[in-house]
Amino acid sequence: MSLSHWLSTSISSSSAFLSSPIFNSRNQHVCLPPKDLVICRCVTASQEEKTVFKTKVSRNVNIAKLQAGYLFPEVARRRNAHLQKYPDARVISLGIGDTTEPIPEVITSAMAERSQELSTFEKYSGYGAEQGEKPLRSAIASTFYDGLGIEEDDIFVSDGAKCDISRLQVMFGSEVTMAVQDPSYPAYVDSSVIMGQTGQFQKDVEKYAKIEYMRCTPDNGFFPDLSTVSKTDIIFFCSPNNPTGAAATRDQLIQLVKFAKDNGSIIIYDSAYAFYMSDDNPRSIFEIPGAKEVAIETSSFSKYAGFTGVRLGWTVIPKQLLFSDGFPVARDFNRIVSTCFNGASNISQAGGLACLSAEGLKAMHEVVGFYKENTNIIVDTFNSLGFKVYGGKNGPYVWVHFPGQSSWDVFSEILEKTHVVTTPGSGFGPGGEGFIRVSAFGHRDNILEACRRFRQLYK
Ligand SMILES: Cc1ncc(COP(=O)(O)O)c(C=O)c1O
């Protein structure tokens, strides 16, 4: 986002804030403040003078380092502005990556039953174990990590992978250094900035100081050249990747684990899209020998079962993973979840358990299969228009190249001319410049209609 755009959005939102009725002192009785209170005078767009009260609390300097809004709220803001401009347009959203298909009934009926039980004396339950319910932890271990030496008590059930990413950052604190794939899911970088692990944003390179950006482009098959990557404490790695859709091969993950081991680093492996994998690549980092000593894995029911609103995920921290002083990482994470979290909703956990029943797994595969058909339709469309298209095979995202063009310009042109919302690649890091991400989450008629409009635009 350009500086001028950022300024214009901040100014318009702050003027809306300042003109809120609670600050409209003209209509209210105004008391004179005690001498030591800080008062400032502001002039709104209408040049009306207002007096606002400010606390003495300083803003968190790390949050102040963040650039404009988090990517997806910014995309949503532009979508809403577009809707205001074209109130009658049929806007199709293939941007944020939110699921659209209903949750299979075998899963919702388990949640409904659990919900009903909460109205009975016999089956009511309140706070549960912060780490999650035993049967669900056990089912996660046996479903996703069978034969990999991951046990039920290595698993922490949560309200989603994004929340776990932040809790992991809280656990590691502000002194660690971190590496991310570039481009990558924005929560890794933003949570690192908020924790104070980084320096300021450097406009010339579009990067935060002190973060190691591991460039992942078509030129290196979307896997970083580790010989050029500086040693960091933490390495975030997402496969299948959001946004590129690329999935690391076994050989690549062997290299990554070796790299972490050589440097004494910890990998935070995000496998939120593993269910979408078609290739025979590892679904979990723990398929790689030795990974239990250097890796954490976080994952989610969001994109498997449409749980983006229900909220349920998990993080695996093997007991073999130790800090430099020999203290088990899992014990610190246990402390964090006990302090900063009170466990996932018991209703969501009932849903999660149903997901992992034979019937639930079959239903999840069907939903994922539906989205994968959407992906094929989008890939075929852009291929037929002569674009270079990546991803799509192992993840629900299609990564389309517009060489030499600005991602935000392409995003804006597509929105303006087709009323389809995509996501600009540069929002995922400087390595995403020149790409847009098209999400395959959508009803089939919307996907077909969006592709018809793409064909019209680029014919
Ligand atoms: C790579 C990745 N990790 C984590 C998440 C968040 O998952 P959850 O809904 O479980 O918080 C997303 C959501 O888009 C994602 O793309």
Side-chain angles (χ1 to χ4, degrees):
M1 170 188 269
S2 71
L3 180 63
S4 59
H5 177 78
W6 181 82
L7 283 171
S8 69
T9 53
S10 337
I11 287 166
S12 65
S13 58
S14 63
S15 55
F17 169 71
L18 288 170
S19 61
S20 130
I22 55 167
F23 291 103
N24 191 348
S25 55
R26 287 189 147 213
N27 302 331
Q28 290 177 15
H29 171 72
V30 180
C31 298
L32 284 176
K35 268 211 304 283
D36 58 344
L37 284 186
V38 181
I39 295 288
C40 82
R41 289 181 161 272
C42 295
V43 179
T44 62
S46 64
Q47 297 299 306
E48 239 181 272
E49 276 202 6
K50 308 258 180 202
T51 303
V52 295
F53 171 82
K54 290 207 283 184
T55 69
K56 290 182 176 175
V57 180
S58 312
R59 187 171 178 214
N60 179 336
V61 290
N62 295 317
I63 296 188
K65 288 176 195 163
L66 288 171
Q67 295 305 293
Y70 185 73
L71 172 64
F72 297 112
E74 175 58 22
V75 168
R77 195 193 64 73
R78 291 187 184 215
R79 174 185 188 271
N80 292 341
H82 184 78
L83 267 173
Q84 282 201 328
K85 189 169 162 195
Y86 301 103
D88 298 327
R90 180 180 158 203
V91 172
I92 298 175
S93 199
L94 305 181
I96 176 166
D98 195 1
T99 45
T100 52
E101 300 311 292
I103 298 173
E105 219 176 293
V106 56
I107 300 164
T108 47
S109 58
M111 290 194 279
E113 192 181 325
R114 184 66 167 269
S115 161
Q116 288 299 325
E117 285 175 3
L118 295 177
S119 285
T120 67
F121 281 107
E122 298 74 27
K123 298 232 166 133
Y124 170 79
S125 65
Y127 289 128
E130 292 93 345
Q131 304 78 5
E133 295 173 0
K134 232 170 138 34
L136 179 57
R137 296 173 85 190
S138 166
I140 290 172
S142 59
T143 306
F144 298 107
Y145 306 100
D146 191 30
L148 301 182
I150 296 296
E151 292 164 347
E152 170 197 313
D153 59 351
D154 296 324
I155 288 162
F156 295 82
V157 173
S158 73
D159 53 349
K162 193 193 224 180
C163 320
D164 273 346
I165 289 161
S166 286
R167 284 189 282 262
L168 287 166
Q169 295 279 28
V170 170
M171 175 182 74
F172 285 116
S174 56
E175 295 303 311
V176 294
T177 51
M178 73 100 134
V180 283
Q181 288 154 294
D182 175 25
S184 66
Y185 177 54
Y188 315 136
V189 166
D190 282 10
S191 59
S192 176
V193 174
I194 290 169
M195 280 305 299
Q197 296 166 0
T198 76
Q200 295 293 342
F201 188 72
Q202 300 166 322
K203 276 241 168 282
D204 50 340
V205 285
E206 302 271 316
K207 293 177 180 176
Y208 288 95
K210 285 176 66 182
I211 289 185
E212 179 70 16
Y213 289 77
M214 304 185 293
R215 194 49 88 109
C216 296
T217 61
D219 299 340
N220 58 16
F222 297 100
F223 187 79
D225 175 0
L226 294 175
S227 70
T228 65
V229 173
S230 301
K231 165 181 166 228
T232 58
D233 298 312
I234 308 299
I235 304 168
F236 276 97
F237 199 92
C238 177
S239 178
N241 184 269
N242 176 9
T244 65
T249 64
R250 189 169 305 272
D251 281 351
Q252 289 171 334
L253 292 179
I254 288 171
Q255 279 179 48
L256 183 69
V257 167
K258 180 175 182 312
F259 180 73
K261 211 159 233 179
D262 290 347
N263 290 328
S265 312
I266 293 179
I267 300 165
I268 300 179
Y269 190 80
D270 186 336
S271 62
Y273 298 99
F275 233 59
Y276 286 80
M277 192 97 75
S278 293
D279 285 336
D280 187 26
N281 293 339
R283 267 85 174 144
S284 163
I285 189 71
F286 300 120
E287 291 183 38
I288 308 302
K292 287 200 280 295
E293 290 161 10
V294 292
I296 289 170
E297 181 163 312
T298 188
S299 199
S300 171
F301 286 93
S302 282
K303 311 294 164 89
Y304 296 4
F307 270 31
T308 47
V310 172
R311 310 301 306 146
L312 194 69
W314 70 91
T315 287
V316 186
I317 309 193
K319 27 186 107 44
Q320 294 88 335
L321 183 69
L322 307 176
F323 285 113
S324 56
D325 63 357
F327 196 82
V329 175
R331 278 178 60 189
D332 272 359
F333 195 63
N334 193 49
R335 188 68 188 258
I336 292 292
V337 298
S338 307
T339 306
C340 309
F341 181 52
N342 252 339
S345 147
N346 40 22
I347 298 169
S348 311
Q349 293 192 69
L353 196 57
C355 286
L356 303 182
S357 66
E359 231 186 310
L361 282 168
K362 184 167 167 281
M364 285 202 299
H365 276 296
E366 277 166 15
V367 176
V368 168
F370 172 85
Y371 291 130
K372 284 173 74 71
E373 285 171 10
N374 282 352
T375 313
N376 292 340
I377 295 168
I378 298 167
V379 167
D380 288 350
T381 300
F382 280 102
N383 271 333
S384 72
L385 292 166
F387 287 93
K388 275 243 179 264
V389 182
Y390 303 92
K393 190 165 181 208
N394 297 310
Y397 300 119
V398 182
W399 190 237
V400 190
H401 202 184
F402 292 79
Q405 295 191 56
S406 133
S407 300
W408 277 110
D409 286 352
V410 176
F411 165 90
S412 299
E413 187 188 26
I414 292 177
L415 182 58
E416 184 67 28
K417 297 193 175 154
T418 69
H419 306 301
V420 178
V421 182
T422 57
T423 308
S426 57
F428 299 95
E433 185 57 287
F435 289 85
I436 55 150
R437 189 194 77 173
V438 185
S439 157
F441 294 118
H443 301 312
R444 182 61 47 82
D445 56 344
N446 282 340
I447 298 287
L448 292 171
E449 173 61 18
C451 287
R452 193 192 61 75
R453 295 182 197 171
F454 293 146
R455 281 211 173 84
Q456 192 110 33
L457 175 64
Y458 294 116
K459 66 182 175 221

